[in-house]
């Protein structure tokens, strides 16, 4: 039972004109703590009771003052200010966390499936920093979905189809070297892709050759297919290294090519329902009724487009997973595209399209500018991760050179720093990355949260937590420093719920920063391993609760928590 649930239940005993749920929704947090922990606005009872809110607040104060369910109640104008029973609720919160462990804040499984389209890099191109956001935001949303009782299906919708592969094949046939490509596949293929665009500026006919190659690929040409399979296999090997570092896994890898044999059915269905119209030789679905440009379904040469493949993918996912929601973690520049796909599906009569949600996000910027693979201005994610891991290793050598498993801890810190730096930002904001800043042990960083967790683990070891007997320690100690920390711990389940329903991992990230700050303030003011055995045990119960929530919060973000740093 949350603190708001407790308060609403107690109020419902003396207020019968509102349900517990309505009472809970009406509760407010006063502007400062001296006015109480929660406040009930009596305006909402005035019409029913035919009394002024001020008079109602006074009467409620009288009824509650004689009970022991609150430490204190005060009528202040039209508000009833409530001071919660701190010891009772402190014991309740800590007990719930210690009993539930990592399940604290979890919702019972519903069985509903949620496919989540995330990461989706393009084959034959390096895994750049630009792909980081979809990967880590999508993974965090998937973890949060699971915590909220859903079954997430992580789908890596690889960019392994489209005209760009025709361009790459053109470049390989004209300027490629098989030995060089086999030695360093992604580097060489990316160089060829960049070269193609440089040459195409001088010779626009190259674009026609690229389209022709892709048309051959769509038609099953053996040479084109062999090249495409080679490019794809080499890319997946490189991508797997990144996913292993990020500790991200997938349930399915059906890239765009998977839907190649499923697109004609979409075209036929659109034709049957007379939704396809010709526009400058191409086939489109008119969306003027929605104030949108038409959705392109087929090019002049009959080649498919992103919309065709996404329509086929949406139908496949619905028939395969019978989803409650279908999520697409893709940059905000694709917002119009997803709106068009949804509207086409609705015009086809598929009401379930309303359950498809685009989760947009901003870009990662380099010196304030968008990164571009075409122009060769790519910051490789693998290189960034290696840099952060090396920097973390140097920090460990400087601050704790005797630490065991330094390599492993450095990797956890370095990778965690990159992930947290991304997820502490609202996903709609653009992110400028700064390796030195994200690895700091102070401030709003991943290492700060990890270090707080490690510090708490050290206290548990020194206090012999593993040997501790079950007791009912005195939770009324340290009250001056304890309450903010208890309230924050108690908020964790609602934070987890809100972060998922808003598809916003930064809600959880910001929460962890606040929790770490409150714990470090408590640590700075209270000698945890002092006093009587009972007092030490009470404090260590609290410390253990903090470690449970910090570790689980970081796990939901896709970050590991080392016990020593």
């Amino acid at each position: 039972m949350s603190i708001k649930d407790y308060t609403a239940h107690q109020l419902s005993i003396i207020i019968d004109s509102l349900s517990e749920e309505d009472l809970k929704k009406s509760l407010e947090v006063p502007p400062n703590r001296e006015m109480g922990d929660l406040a009930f606005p009596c305006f909402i009872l005035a019409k029913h009771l035919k009394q002024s809110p001020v008079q109602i607040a006074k009467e409620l104060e009288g009824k509650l003052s004689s009970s022991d369910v609150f430490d204190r109640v005060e009528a202040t104008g039209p508000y009833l200010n409530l001071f919660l029973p701190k010891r009772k609720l402190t014991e309740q919160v800590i007990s719930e966390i210690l009993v539930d462990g990592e399940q604290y804040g979890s919702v019972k499984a519903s069985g509903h499936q949620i496919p989540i389209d995330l990461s989706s890099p393009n084959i034959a191109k390096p895994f750049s920093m630009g792909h980081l956001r979809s990967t880590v935001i999508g993974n965090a949303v998937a973890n949060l979905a699971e915590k909220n009782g859903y079954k997430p299906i992580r789908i890596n919708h690889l960019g392994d189809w489209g005209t760009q592969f025709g361009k790459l094949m053109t470049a390989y046939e004209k300027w490629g070297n098989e030995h060089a490509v086999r030695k360093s596949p992604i580097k060489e293929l990316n160089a060829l892709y960049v070269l193609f665009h440089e040459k195409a500026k001088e010779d626009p006919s190259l674009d026609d050759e690229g389209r022709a190659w892709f048309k051959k690929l769509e038609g099953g040409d053996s040479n084109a297919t062999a090249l495409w399979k080679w490019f794809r296999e080499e890319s997946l090997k490189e991508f797997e290294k990144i996913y292993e570092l990020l500790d991200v896994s997938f349930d399915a890898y059906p890239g765009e090519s998977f839907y190649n044999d499923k697109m004609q059915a979409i075209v036929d269905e659109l034709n049957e329902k007379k939704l396809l119209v010709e526009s400058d030789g191409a086939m489109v679905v008119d969306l003027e009724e929605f104030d949108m440009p038409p959705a392109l379904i087929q090019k002049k040469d009959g080649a498919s487009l992103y919309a065709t493949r996404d329509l086929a993918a949406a139908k496949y996912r619905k028939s395969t997973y019978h989803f409650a929601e279908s999520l697409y973690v893709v940059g905000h520049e694709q917002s119009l595209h997803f709106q068009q796909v949804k509207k086409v599906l609705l015009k086809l009569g598929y009401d379930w399209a309303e359950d498809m949600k685009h989760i947009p996000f901003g870009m990662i910027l380099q010196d304030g500018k968008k990164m571009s693979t075409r122009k060769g201005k790519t910051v490789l994610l693998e290189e960034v991760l290696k840099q952060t891991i090396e920097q973390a290793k140097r920090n460990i050598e400087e601050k704790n050179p005797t630490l065991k498993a330094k390599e492993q801890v450095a990797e956890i810190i370095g990778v965690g720093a990159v992930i947290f730096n991304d997820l502490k930002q609202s996903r709609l904001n653009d992110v400028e990355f700064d390796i030195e800043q994200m690895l700091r042990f102070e401030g709003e960083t991943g290492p700060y949260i990890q270090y707080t967790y490690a510090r708490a683990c050290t206290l548990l070891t020194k206090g012999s937590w593993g040997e501790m007997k079950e007791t009912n320690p005195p939770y009324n100690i340290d009250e001056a420093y304890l309450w903010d920390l208890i309230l924050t711990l108690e908020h964790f389940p609602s934070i987890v719920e809100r972060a998922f329903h808003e598809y916003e991992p930064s809600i959880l990230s910001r929460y962890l920063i606040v929790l770490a700050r409150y714990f470090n303030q408590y640590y700075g003011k209270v000698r945890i391993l002092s006093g009587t055995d009972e007092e030490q045990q009470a404090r260590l119960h609290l410390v253990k609760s903090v470690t449970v929530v910090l570790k689980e919060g970081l796990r939901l973000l896709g970050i590991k928590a080392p016990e020593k740093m």
Side-chain angles (χ1 to χ4, degrees):
M1 180 185 286
S2 72
I3 285 175
K4 279 195 172 183
D5 286 328
Y6 170 88
T7 305
H9 175 70
Q10 299 303 332
L11 289 176
S12 73
I13 296 171
I14 60 170
I15 300 171
D16 58 11
S17 55
L18 289 175
S19 68
E20 280 193 33
E21 189 59 32
D22 287 336
L23 286 167
K24 180 180 174 182
K25 288 177 181 175
S26 69
L27 291 170
E28 299 177 6
V29 177
N32 67 66
R33 187 56 57 76
E34 292 177 2
M35 298 174 70
D37 300 302
L38 291 169
F40 174 66
C42 297
F43 307 100
I44 56 177
L45 297 175
K47 186 176 180 181
H48 177 78
L49 297 178
K50 296 182 172 55
Q51 291 177 286
S52 75
V54 174
Q55 185 181 357
I56 294 168
K58 270 291 180 191
E59 289 185 7
L60 292 175
E61 178 189 44
K63 290 178 181 179
L64 287 169
S65 292
S66 58
S67 71
D68 62 353
V69 295
F70 296 105
D71 279 356
R72 193 162 93 248
V73 293
E74 289 180 358
T76 306
Y79 287 90
L80 182 69
N81 292 334
L82 306 163
F83 295 81
L84 297 167
K86 291 183 172 59
R87 177 172 182 175
K88 181 177 181 179
L89 291 176
T90 295
E91 182 178 345
Q92 177 183 306
V93 170
I94 291 176
S95 174
E96 185 177 353
I97 294 171
L98 295 183
V99 169
D100 290 353
E102 63 186 22
Q103 294 303 312
Y104 179 57
S106 296
V107 175
K108 186 178 178 181
S110 67
H112 295 306
Q113 299 191 95
I114 297 182
I116 303 177
D117 186 321
L118 69 148
S119 195
S120 309
N122 293 320
I123 67 166
K125 291 184 185 177
F127 200 120
S128 73
M129 280 293 288
H131 295 107
L132 174 70
R133 302 215 72 192
S134 174
T135 306
V136 299
I137 292 171
N139 188 52
V141 169
N143 290 337
L144 287 164
E146 191 169 33
K147 188 80 171 172
N148 279 274
Y150 296 93
K151 182 180 179 182
I153 310 294
R154 293 171 176 82
I155 297 174
N156 198 339
H157 187 73
L158 293 167
D160 63 358
W161 208 249
T163 309
Q164 68 267 35
F165 297 105
K167 295 176 179 179
L168 185 58
M169 289 171 191
T170 302
Y172 178 74
E173 287 295 310
K174 287 183 176 294
W175 312 296
N177 178 288
E178 183 180 351
H179 175 73
V181 172
R182 290 195 179 280
K183 185 178 179 183
S184 185
I186 301 302
K187 180 181 176 183
E188 289 299 320
L189 291 173
N190 186 53
L192 287 170
Y193 186 71
V194 172
L195 179 61
F196 177 92
H197 285 93
E198 290 173 355
K199 296 283 189 182
K201 288 178 185 175
E202 305 161 9
D203 181 6
S205 68
L206 283 171
D207 286 322
D208 294 327
E209 289 187 49
R211 282 189 283 271
W213 263 103
F214 178 58
K215 190 74 174 117
K216 286 200 289 184
L217 178 61
E218 284 201 306
D221 177 83
S222 58
N223 190 21
T225 302
L227 283 174
W228 172 80
K229 283 183 177 178
W230 177 34
F231 297 163
R232 190 180 193 275
E233 287 166 7
E234 293 298 337
S235 298
L236 285 174
K237 289 177 190 174
E238 294 298 309
F239 295 162
E240 205 48 52
K241 295 177 187 176
I242 305 297
Y243 293 134
E244 191 174 337
L245 269 177
L246 293 173
D247 197 25
V248 173
S249 59
F250 298 90
D251 300 293
Y253 274 89
E256 293 180 56
S257 62
F258 178 78
Y259 303 100
N260 197 32
D261 62 354
K262 299 169 181 60
M263 290 184 289
Q264 190 56 47
I266 285 287
V267 176
D268 292 343
E269 189 176 0
L270 289 167
N271 259 323
E272 286 168 17
K273 297 192 177 179
K274 299 186 176 3
L275 293 175
L276 272 188
V277 294
E278 188 178 329
S279 176
D280 295 327
M283 301 306 290
V284 305
V285 175
D286 182 57
L287 298 176
E288 190 175 356
E289 65 199 273
F290 304 110
D291 295 320
M292 291 182 193
L296 291 163
I297 303 299
Q298 271 188 334
K299 294 181 181 179
K300 289 180 183 179
D301 60 4
S304 61
L305 289 121
Y306 287 122
T308 329
R309 294 190 282 277
D310 279 336
L311 288 166
K315 285 193 67 179
Y316 176 82
R317 289 173 191 175
K318 183 61 180 177
S319 64
T320 304
Y321 304 115
H322 311 288
F323 56 70
E325 289 183 338
S326 183
L327 308 181
Y328 295 80
V329 187
V330 183
H332 62 71
E333 64 273 16
Q334 295 296 323
S335 292
L336 174 61
H337 166 76
F338 282 107
Q339 288 173 35
Q340 289 175 310
V341 169
K342 281 182 70 169
K343 295 304 183 187
V344 172
L345 287 166
L346 289 170
K347 289 188 78 162
L348 282 168
Y350 298 122
D351 293 342
W352 49 259
E354 295 289 5
D355 299 321
M356 294 166 56
K357 309 285 174 63
H358 175 211
I359 302 176
F361 54 84
M363 298 177 289
I364 292 188
L365 306 179
Q366 180 185 15
D367 301 323
K369 297 177 183 177
K370 181 182 177 182
M371 300 167 187
S372 171
T373 308
R374 280 187 190 180
K375 297 176 182 177
K377 296 179 180 177
T378 304
V379 176
L380 302 184
L381 178 54
E382 186 177 14
E383 290 180 4
V384 170
L385 292 174
K386 284 179 178 176
Q387 285 179 52
T388 56
I389 292 167
E390 283 302 315
Q391 184 61 49
K393 202 182 298 180
R394 287 193 288 272
N395 290 347
I396 290 170
E397 289 291 353
E398 182 182 326
K399 296 180 179 180
N400 191 3
T402 60
L403 179 70
K404 294 180 181 178
K406 282 186 276 191
E407 298 279 337
Q408 183 182 359
V409 174
E411 185 174 300
I412 290 172
I413 295 170
V415 173
V418 173
I419 295 174
F420 193 86
N421 183 66
D422 189 296
L423 296 183
K424 76 177 181 181
Q425 318 283 347
S426 167
R427 61 178 164 78
L428 290 172
N429 292 344
D430 292 338
V431 178
E432 183 89 33
F433 75 94
D434 179 335
I435 290 176
E436 294 295 328
Q437 178 64 31
M438 67 177 70
L439 276 166
R440 290 180 60 190
F441 279 67
E442 309 85 27
E444 300 176 350
T445 68
Y448 172 69
I449 310 295
Q450 290 170 320
Y451 183 67
T452 302
Y453 172 78
R455 167 184 275 175
C457 287
T458 299
L459 284 169
L460 293 174
T461 301
K462 288 181 177 178
S464 303
W465 169 262
E467 303 166 20
M468 195 169 291
K469 297 176 182 177
E470 285 191 22
T471 59
N472 188 21
Y475 289 116
N476 59 332
I477 59 169
D478 309 328
E479 280 189 3
Y481 314 114
L482 187 63
W483 192 230
D484 282 331
L485 188 50
I486 291 297
L487 286 177
T488 305
L489 287 168
E490 191 271 338
H491 288 162
F492 181 67
S494 62
I495 289 291
V496 166
E497 181 183 13
R498 187 177 147 221
F500 170 65
H501 288 294
E502 295 183 26
Y503 313 122
E504 185 55 87
S506 69
I507 291 171
L508 176 56
S509 304
R510 310 301 302 182
Y511 165 85
L512 292 177
I513 292 168
V514 171
L515 176 59
R517 280 180 183 159
Y518 278 136
F519 175 75
N520 285 319
Q521 286 173 14
Y522 177 76
Y523 176 85
K525 292 172 180 174
V526 175
R527 294 184 64 189
I528 292 170
L529 300 178
S530 66
T532 66
D533 286 347
E534 280 193 334
E535 288 171 341
Q536 283 188 48
Q537 287 189 27
R539 294 178 182 127
L540 288 173
H541 277 70
L542 172 68
V543 173
K544 180 62 178 179
S545 299
V546 170
T547 64
V548 168
V549 175
L550 284 177
K551 184 177 183 180
E552 180 63 3
L554 286 171
R555 183 193 72 80
L556 292 170
L557 294 176
I559 300 170
K560 294 176 182 175
E563 293 188 3
K564 293 183 179 179
M565 284 175 66

